Amino acid sequence: MGTAGHIDHGKTSLVKALTNIDCDTHKEEKARGITINLGFSYLDLPNGESIGIVDVPGHKDFINTMVGGACGIDFVLLVIAADSGIMPQTIEHINIISALGITRGVVALTKIDLVDDELAQMAREEIAEYLEKTSLRGAPIVGFSAISGAGKEELISAIQGVSSTVPAKETGDLFRMYIDRIFTVKGFGSVVTGSVLSGSIAKEQEVFLLPGDNPKLRVRSIERHGKPVDMAIVGDRAAINLIGLKKEEFSKGQIISSKRLPETTMVDATISLFDNVDALSLWSNVTLISGTYETQARMHLITADSLMPGEGAIVQLHLNKPSVLLGRDRFIIRNTSADVTLGGGYIIDSSPLHHRKRTPKLIEYLQNLSQSILSEECTNELVSIELRKEMRPFTPDEVADKLHISVDEVKTMIGSGKGKFSVFESSVGQILIDNSHSQAFEGNVLRIVSDFHSKNPILPNGVDLNEIIGKLGLSKYKAGKEYLEVMLEQLVIKGKLDKHINTYIIKGHRPKINQQTQSEIDWLEGEILKYEMEKPVLSEIEERAGENKIQKGRLKLYLSYLAGEGRIQFYQSDFLHTSTISKVKPLLLRKLIDSDNGIDIPEFKELVGGTKRFRALLTDILVAQKLISLRKDAETETRILITPNGRKQANESISR
Ligand SMILES: Nc1nc2c(ncn2[C@@H]2O[C@H](COP(=O)(O)OP(=O)(O)OP(=O)(O)O)[C@@H](O)[C@H]2O)c(=O)[nH]1
Ligand SMILES: [Mg+2]
């Protein structure tokens, strides 16, 4: 619970009357009789619950401090003195509370001892009417006096009533807490306090101080409401004793987090302007406050050219100081001299692209995003945003990492409604990709395959999976290969692609060979056959091709064609004609079948004949085809052996 209300209306006195704790502990606060810093207390309710209390200053110079206190609260205790009624900071605090998304509260009508019943009744009516148009509509109003203690029981039961309507929060995986106080305890080191925004923290855990390049810190101990505890969770006020840095190295406005969150100086956000302020133009300088983080910022209106009081818009904020804001974080904007609160809003994207042009498409996208990001049913918008930023497939855990939530949460979000992305089931689990990115990938695949066909019109085959992966740059992603497999399968189902052996072709592709091409291929095959038991040398054939007016450049294509037809066999860029191989292969395999210990090189030479280079290439081809294997003995004598595969083939050819 957090207090709110105009200066001197009795917030701190009320907290003291309820909890016996005086939050005005500083010398200056005592001397001036006002609250300057946030005060902290706690209240044990009759139902056994213990709630943390943040007491805020009412003075208009300390609104920034008030915002810091109000950022972590679930409901407000709005304090209004019965003898003065609604005053400027009553209104400003109510505006802030509502901009922070806080809709629950209790109104304490204090100093009830200073007014008669009639005045008290008038004050109640004035307040109820004012609240009607705010987020605190219908809040209970309880008369109270810190002097006589009147109304204390009723106030406590109203607080308990509101507190019990606060829904239990999902703890979540990510621990975050803005630091609001830093001090040292002799012999123990630095202690920081704050309201836990999300997640939980336990003793001995390692945490980060952000932003900044700080070392990991270790949690030595935790206190909650003045008592040592093993862990603190979302909604708690916590004091954390950290090991790793000195007091001076912490500062108010930094965050303690369980993860090294990325820093950002540019965010997209939804803002609304209060109705008692001046209009804003396309660009304006503002102060942004979220938790205890505070910075100057340049604000660019995206969905409007100017903003009238009471209106809302989507903006891009350029922050002077690095932040670790995340999507859905609430904030307040004030003018640059920080004496007028202008409005507030929430982050819709903490790492957006720089919107230089305000296109209708961008505006529509941001408007949808801003509407759906807060609603629980449509949280898969968060997933959509991340997927849209990069043209690549994601696994759920990669998305979880980007959004700083657990994989289970991502999976729930995916299932929660139709998004602008596709979910594929693959051998490695789910793969997520933005629909327009997926379409672009499909287009690129079809282009790659048809390019291949137009460069190689005489080939019946197309492009294999690995080549496509390489061309699309998908190999660097975790689920890149699996995504492509699923996508290719779908293109086959859709009738756009077909399979040819182990390659993909455009459906309906037929090799095109005209008479001239055919005769050139025949010529090339004849040239290869001429080498007989020697290794064919491409450069020599190329030379002769020139003499025969055959384009040198087409020979490689013809070679691929011959290989595809099974007429030649390649090892790397060297090749032999299949009929040449067939002359010696059966002889060799039959010989090897009968020699358990294989044959040595001289025996091989004797059996096969041909040149040394021919024999080396033949060996390479047969080893690559897993028909034979080489073994080097201790005396470095190489022996050639048959493989089980080779044995099978030899037996088949004998029985034939
Ligand atoms: N008569 C009377 N005086 C009160 C009551 N509550 C507070 N006061 C007096 O009002 C003055 C201000 O009280 P605080 O509790 O400091 O007011 P505050 O709202 O915390 O003020 P800031 O934190 O500076 O905004 C003090 O002199 C209190 O004694 C009350 O119920 N009745
Ligand atoms: Mg006070």
Side-chain angles (χ1 to χ4, degrees), residues 5-14 24 33-35 55-59 79 110-114 144-147:
H6 197 73
I7 184 165
D8 261 354
H9 277 208
K11 298 177 289 298
T12 306
S13 308
L14 194 163
D24 284 350
I34 61 167
T35 302
D55 181 39
V56 308
H59 195 295
V79 176
T110 49
K111 306 199 187 180
I112 203 86
D113 53 289
L114 295 183
F144 178 80
S145 168
I147 305 288

Side-chain angles (χ1 to χ4, degrees), residues 451-463:
D451 275 359
F452 180 84
H453 290 328
S454 49
K455 284 200 188 106
N456 309 277
I458 63 168
L459 299 185
N461 58 298
V463 194

Side-chain angles (χ1 to χ4, degrees), residues 271-321:
I271 62 151
S272 31
L273 220 51
F274 297 152
D275 45 19
N276 54 350
V277 296
D278 293 338
L280 288 182
S281 54
L282 190 60
W283 282 94
S284 37
N285 292 319
V286 296
T287 305
L288 177 143
I289 310 165
S290 183
T292 50
Y293 165 80
E294 191 183 321
T295 182
Q296 296 294 308
R298 289 270 289 155
M299 188 167 81
H300 182 201
L301 300 178
I302 302 292
T303 53
D305 296 327
S306 65
L307 205 57
M308 294 296 143
E311 285 183 351
I314 291 168
V315 298
Q316 184 152 66
L317 284 150
H318 303 264
L319 313 173
N320 283 11
K321 241 167 55 180

Side-chain angles (χ1 to χ4, degrees), residues 316-381:
Q316 184 152 66
L317 284 150
H318 303 264
L319 313 173
N320 283 11
K321 241 167 55 180
S323 78
V324 283
L325 292 163
L326 295 180
R328 299 189 199 187
D329 276 359
R330 299 269 182 174
F331 61 86
I332 293 294
I333 49 168
R334 310 196 73 208
N335 63 351
T336 44
S337 44
D339 52 15
V340 179
T341 309
L342 302 172
Y346 53 89
I347 307 290
I348 54 181
D349 191 349
S350 59
S351 53
L353 305 170
H354 191 169
H355 309 313
R356 291 173 203 279
K357 282 214 183 79
R358 305 182 303 157
T359 62
K361 211 173 149 195
L362 173 72
I363 289 175
E364 190 197 324
Y365 162 73
L366 289 173
Q367 269 164 344
N368 286 338
L369 186 59
S370 121
Q371 274 164 25
S372 45
I373 193 166
L374 288 189
S375 84
E376 290 301 320
E377 309 88 62
C378 211
T379 40
N380 69 358
E381 275 295 343

Side-chain angles (χ1 to χ4, degrees), residues 194-240:
S195 306
V196 181
L197 285 186
S198 68
S200 63
I201 191 167
K203 276 206 286 203
E204 295 305 321
Q205 193 175 320
E206 286 188 325
V207 289
F208 297 93
L209 173 68
L210 306 170
D213 198 18
N214 300 303
K216 270 189 196 171
L217 304 172
R218 192 163 60 81
V219 177
R220 192 206 305 261
S221 62
I222 306 169
E223 271 190 19
R224 175 184 181 269
H225 304 177
K227 293 180 195 78
V229 287
D230 288 336
M231 75 186 303
I233 64 165
V234 57
D236 284 348
R237 286 273 332 151
I240 307 171

